[in-house]
Amino acid sequence: MSKFILAFDQGTTSSRAIVFDKNGHTVSIAQREFKQIFPTPGWVEHDPNEILSSQIGVAAEAVTKGKLKSADIAAIGITNQRETTIVWDRETGEPVYNAIVWQDRRTSDYCDELISQGWEPKIRNKTGLVIDAYFVATKVKWILDNVEDARKKAKAGKLVFGTVDSWLIWNLTEGEKHVTDVTNASRTLLFNINTLDWDDELLDLFEIPKSMLPEVCDSSGEICTTSGVVFAKKIPISGIAGDQHAALFGQMCTEPGMVKNTYGTGCFMLMNIGDKPIISKNKLITTIAWKIDNKVAYALEGSIFIAGAVVQWLRDGLGIIKTAPEVEKLVDKTKDSDGVYFVPAFTGLGAPHWNQHARGTMVGITRGTTLNHIARASLESIAYQTYDVLKAMEADAQINIKELRVDGGATTNDFLMQFQSDVLETKIVKPETLETTALGVAYLAGLGVGFWKDVEEIRSTWKSKAFFLPDPETPIEKLLKGWRKAIAATNAWSKSEIN
Ligand code: ADP
């Protein structure tokens, strides 16, 4: 059997391809950035053909860099930026509009209308999601409403829609296969996560013809084969998952109660909640973690808008550091934040506080406050926000977690990881391979073709690189009380009116 798995990691700013061996080690990697298109404030688009060409380019490059041939690749897995929406012509394969990216806010007003019409509870129960421009359905509707002839053609069955995984597979199979997996489907606002099928009532609501939709498949299994587009040999595509879902699998969070948190610009936290959906009482999202061998695992998801971005702000906004890692030197100069708390609600507060009018708030400043304290309070805010989301998850799932698995750029910060462990009073585990997204979909693809026999076999290769244990000396209760007061101050400021 061929010895390697090739993961396509189609992200928001770049396309990457990584070759993994049977131990889950990275053999080679290639990456290419592509253009971000901002037609007007709040709108974000990508050129679907550039997504495709960059992804195919890096796939060939990664295989060549690894000194491999296509025959060495046992299977391909595809993980992708979620919710980004493409509509294309069934006959020509040409997109009718640019990809509308998940960050795009053009349909916010329409979402507000739906909320005021009272759709939220029903949509939450069916899809696990909240009504927000972030998700797919309103983006498809926008294209049908605004691109000339699009609605007419869609009604006539001439247009198809897909998230980025569908778009890549359509092209890799020369239009043979129009498919998506359950994780990507669960981000559309059109997919019922209880029945695991497209929902007719929601299709009616968003005025989207059913003929546009891809077939929904498992996240792992022989889905199709490439048709000679990238490589001469036909290679099975046997794993598909949205990026955060793939990362959860790449962290081997395969049992209920296992959680991963990715510390990038923002944080993305997902908790495996087992084989039944739980609708959150704390405004978290319920999503499908994956479907393997006909068995579905669900997850709760919470995100934090500003995490590593707070360090970027110290660098670019305040100019008190030149590079992100320098923040550690400032923090080392203080034993605590001396009562300073910083709530970095630059774009509002997300789960579980949900206040879109909130803005960054710093409290507790005295004559003795220095830049070091502010740097420390900034890093601590990442850990406190994580605490808030995790506690909401634990409450919803009624599970106390045993450890938190972490990845993402800011996990290189040992202070942050130690403080996170202290605040959560929980072990923090860093995996050997930090490329958890690509690794996760490689695992799914490998399972799909029997490259790995089962999840047990994969788990036996999965290794942690470092861990952090809580320091019992840290005065957690006192610190958390201060954080809660800071959140109250943030909310009070955003709600107060002075005439
Ligand atoms: P993304 O995928 O969102 O671009 P990455 O996983 O690449 O994010 O992580 C980048 C983020 O990590 C940046 O916001 C950066 O400020 C932060 N970061 C990088 N190094 C450090 C560090 N040593 N300490 C704290 N934050 C850091």
Side-chain angles (χ1 to χ4, degrees), residues 11-72:
T12 308
T13 55
S14 69
S15 296
R16 284 139 51 84
I18 306 185
V19 177
F20 291 100
D21 67 14
K22 200 152 182 189
N23 292 316
H25 292 143
T26 303
V27 174
S28 59
I29 179 164
Q31 174 164 2
R32 191 168 306 163
E33 291 197 6
F34 55 84
K35 200 163 70 231
Q36 306 291 311
I37 304 167
F38 306 108
T40 186
W43 293 27
V44 189
E45 298 177 0
H46 294 155
D47 174 351
N49 286 317
E50 206 186 341
I51 289 180
L52 178 65
S53 59
S54 59
Q55 188 61 64
I56 290 180
V58 290
E61 194 181 330
V63 171
T64 313
K65 265 188 178 172
K67 300 197 168 34
L68 305 173
K69 297 185 292 296
S70 49
D72 297 321

Side-chain angles (χ1 to χ4, degrees), residues 263-266 308-309 311-312 324-325 327-328 379 408-410 412-413 416:
Y263 296 76
T265 311
V311 178
Q312 292 167 335
V327 71
E328 296 188 54
L379 281 182
T412 54
N413 190 315
L416 173 61

Side-chain angles (χ1 to χ4, degrees), residues 263-333:
Y263 296 76
T265 311
C267 281
F268 280 102
M269 202 187 308
L270 268 78
M271 175 192 268
N272 184 326
I273 53 172
D275 58 5
K276 296 204 176 50
I278 295 170
I279 298 301
S280 171
K281 294 192 177 71
N282 294 292
K283 296 198 189 166
L284 300 169
I285 284 167
T286 310
T287 197
I288 296 180
W290 48 75
K291 186 170 172 221
I292 303 173
D293 285 340
N294 241 347
K295 284 197 214 79
V296 181
Y298 291 90
L300 282 171
E301 173 174 330
S303 35
I304 295 164
F305 305 142
I306 304 293
V310 80
V311 178
Q312 292 167 335
W313 178 71
L314 295 178
R315 187 191 61 194
D316 308 333
L318 293 190
I320 63 172
I321 47 173
K322 287 206 176 62
T323 63
E326 270 180 45
V327 71
E328 296 188 54
K329 286 192 207 134
L330 299 188
V331 167
D332 281 346
K333 291 184 189 153

Side-chain angles (χ1 to χ4, degrees), residues 44-256:
V44 189
E45 298 177 0
H46 294 155
D47 174 351
N49 286 317
E50 206 186 341
I51 289 180
L52 178 65
S53 59
S54 59
Q55 188 61 64
I56 290 180
V58 290
E61 194 181 330
V63 171
T64 313
K65 265 188 178 172
K67 300 197 168 34
L68 305 173
K69 297 185 292 296
S70 49
D72 297 321
I73 305 297
I76 291 173
I78 298 180
T79 180
N80 55 291
Q81 49 167 323
R82 302 178 301 173
E83 296 104 12
T84 295
T85 302
I86 306 171
V87 175
W88 65 95
D89 187 296
R90 193 187 291 281
E91 246 157 59
T92 64
E94 273 306 305
V96 302
Y97 190 77
N98 273 338
I100 302 186
V101 178
W102 55 274
Q103 297 146 322
D104 192 288
R105 305 303 303 166
R106 78 185 67 186
T107 58
S108 297
D109 289 346
Y110 173 60
C111 289
D112 288 344
E113 258 174 58
L114 293 176
I115 294 167
S116 65
Q117 288 166 11
W119 279 98
E120 190 119 84
K122 183 174 248 179
I123 287 189
R124 176 177 280 282
N125 282 327
K126 286 187 174 201
T127 67
L129 305 176
V130 293
I131 299 175
D132 192 280
Y134 182 46
F135 302 109
V136 170
T138 63
K139 299 180 200 287
V140 179
K141 178 173 161 50
W142 187 93
I143 292 175
L144 297 186
D145 288 343
N146 289 279
V147 174
E148 204 181 331
D149 286 341
R151 185 163 294 286
K152 199 170 83 199
K153 282 191 187 158
K155 275 192 180 149
K158 291 188 172 154
L159 299 186
V160 293
F161 125 80
T163 39
V164 170
D165 54 316
S166 298
W167 167 245
L168 292 175
I169 291 174
W170 174 280
N171 284 284
L172 291 168
T173 61
E174 294 180 289
E176 280 290 304
K177 201 82 184 164
H178 183 213
V179 70
T180 191
D181 88 303
V182 283
T183 70
N184 280 292
S186 77
R187 317 298 296 185
T188 58
L189 283 175
L190 302 170
F191 192 71
N192 188 318
I193 61 168
N194 307 291
T195 62
L196 301 177
D197 205 354
W198 300 115
D199 188 279
D200 289 330
E201 187 184 14
L202 297 178
L203 287 167
D204 275 354
L205 173 68
F206 293 107
E207 298 176 278
I208 297 172
K210 207 168 188 173
S211 59
M212 292 184 77
L213 302 177
E215 172 198 338
V216 183
C217 65
D218 286 11
S219 318
S220 179
E222 287 216 30
I223 298 155
C224 53
T225 54
T226 59
S227 69
V229 178
V230 196
F231 305 109
K233 179 183 165 266
K234 292 187 174 203
I235 301 176
I237 298 174
S238 51
I240 312 177
D243 51 11
Q244 298 306 323
H245 314 248
L248 189 69
F249 200 68
Q251 289 272 25
M252 278 285 104
C253 292
T254 51
E255 301 295 323

